[in-house]
Amino acid sequence: MDKAKLNIVVTDDHKLFRKGICALLYDFDFTNDVKEAGNGQELLDLIDSSGEVPDLVLLDIQMPVMDGVEATERLKAKYPDLRIIIISMEEDVQLVTHLVDKGIDGYLLKNADPEELELAIRMTMKNEFYFSSSLTGAFMRGSKIVSPVKDVNNADLFSERELQVLELICKELTASEIADELSLSARTVEGYKRGLLSKSNTRNVAGLVIYAIKNQLVEV
C-alpha cells in the first residue's frame, strides 16, 4: 500500500449501513480516520469545507440530492488521484461500465464480506483495479470483442491470436474449451493468457476484462 494510514470517507444515504462500514474500517490496520456523508453533495461539501482530500472514498450509487455517478464525475475531474470504490447492490453491466469509464478504481457489491472489502482497499491503493468476482460472469456474458481494435496503442500491443483468446475468455470459455476452439493445446492457451495478463498489467480474468473494456478492446 502506498500510504501506511488512510483517511477515508464513507458515502451512503442508509445511515445504518454507513455506520457499520465506518466501524468495520477501524478494524483494519491501514485506517487513520473515517468520515461520513449521506449523499454526493454532502461528500463534496465535506471535502471543500475541510480543505483536505481523503485518500479513498467508498461511494454508493443510488442516493438523493446527488447520486454516486455524478459525484464520481465531479470528484475525478477535480481530484484525479483520489481513489473511489463503489459499494452498491447495482449489478447493471452498462452502469458499471460507465462508472469504469468515468474513472472509478473499484466496484464492490454490498453483500461482500469484510475480507473482500479489505482486499479491495489494499488493491486499490496499490493502483490495481478491484472488481467484485461475483460480477465477472455478467460482464463476460455481455461483452464482445471489437474488431478492428479502436486504440492504436493496443493494436500494437496484442497479437491477433491474443485477441482471439481474449474474446473467448470474455465468453467464459475454459482453457480446454479455448484450446479446442482454436486447435491449440491447453498449455499454449495458458501461455497466451499469461501474456495477456502481463501486457495488461492485471492479475486475474476480472481485471483483464475491465482492462479490455477501458481500452476499447471489447464493448458491452
Side-chain angles (χ1 to χ4, degrees):
M1 190 171 295
D2 294 337
K3 186 174 179 179
K5 296 289 184 178
L6 304 178
N7 296 319
I8 305 170
V9 180
V10 179
T11 306
D12 194 295
D13 60 319
H14 292 95
K15 192 172 184 178
L16 209 58
F17 177 82
R18 190 173 74 234
K19 293 287 186 184
I21 293 294
C22 290
L24 178 61
L25 288 170
Y26 279 116
D27 288 337
F28 301 151
D29 60 10
F30 52 68
T31 300
N32 177 53
D33 182 57
V34 181
K35 291 184 170 58
E36 303 175 40
N39 58 63
Q41 188 60 60
E42 284 187 17
L43 169 61
L44 293 172
D45 291 344
L46 174 64
I47 295 174
D48 287 342
S49 62
S50 67
E52 297 180 1
V53 182
D55 302 294
L56 172 69
V57 169
L58 303 180
L59 185 62
D60 189 19
I61 296 177
Q62 300 293 342
M63 296 180 292
V65 185
M66 182 188 294
D67 64 18
V69 177
E70 184 177 353
T72 294
E73 292 174 349
R74 293 196 182 191
L75 287 168
K76 283 295 185 177
K78 193 170 184 179
Y79 312 108
D81 295 330
L82 173 63
R83 306 290 205 281
I84 298 175
I85 296 178
I86 299 293
I87 304 184
S88 173
M89 288 307 298
E90 295 290 334
E91 299 185 58
D92 185 298
V93 172
Q94 295 287 349
L95 176 59
V96 178
T97 303
H98 177 71
L99 285 162
V100 169
D101 187 57
K102 293 300 178 183
I104 63 168
D105 302 281
Y107 197 100
L108 198 64
L109 293 177
K110 283 189 173 181
N111 60 4
D113 56 35
E115 291 76 19
E116 188 175 12
L117 174 61
E118 181 178 6
L119 175 63
I121 293 174
R122 290 188 183 279
M123 287 182 63
T124 298
M125 297 311 298
K126 291 179 180 178
N127 290 318
E128 297 180 33
F129 190 93
Y130 185 85
F131 188 65
S132 181
S133 58
S134 57
L135 279 173
T136 305
F139 248 90
M140 293 192 292
R141 286 189 295 273
S143 64
K144 61 182 179 180
I145 203 77
V146 174
S147 181
V149 177
K150 296 179 182 179
D151 190 310
V152 175
N153 292 327
N154 282 294
D156 296 334
L157 184 60
F158 299 101
S159 69
E160 181 179 352
R161 180 64 86 183
E162 284 174 326
L163 290 174
Q164 290 174 336
V165 172
L166 176 60
E167 178 179 14
L168 296 176
I169 288 174
C170 288
K171 290 180 179 178
E172 293 189 278
L173 270 67
T174 66
S176 296
E177 291 169 335
I178 294 172
D180 291 341
E181 183 79 15
L182 299 179
S183 299
L184 300 170
S185 69
R187 186 172 182 177
T188 299
V189 171
E190 288 294 346
Y192 279 119
K193 181 179 176 182
R194 287 194 298 272
L196 287 164
L197 292 170
S198 176
K199 289 182 178 181
S200 62
N201 195 29
T202 54
R203 297 176 58 180
N204 51 42
V205 169
L208 181 59
V209 173
I210 289 296
Y211 173 90
I213 292 169
K214 291 179 73 173
N215 290 278
Q216 300 183 314
L217 292 174
V218 298
E219 59 186 19
V220 176

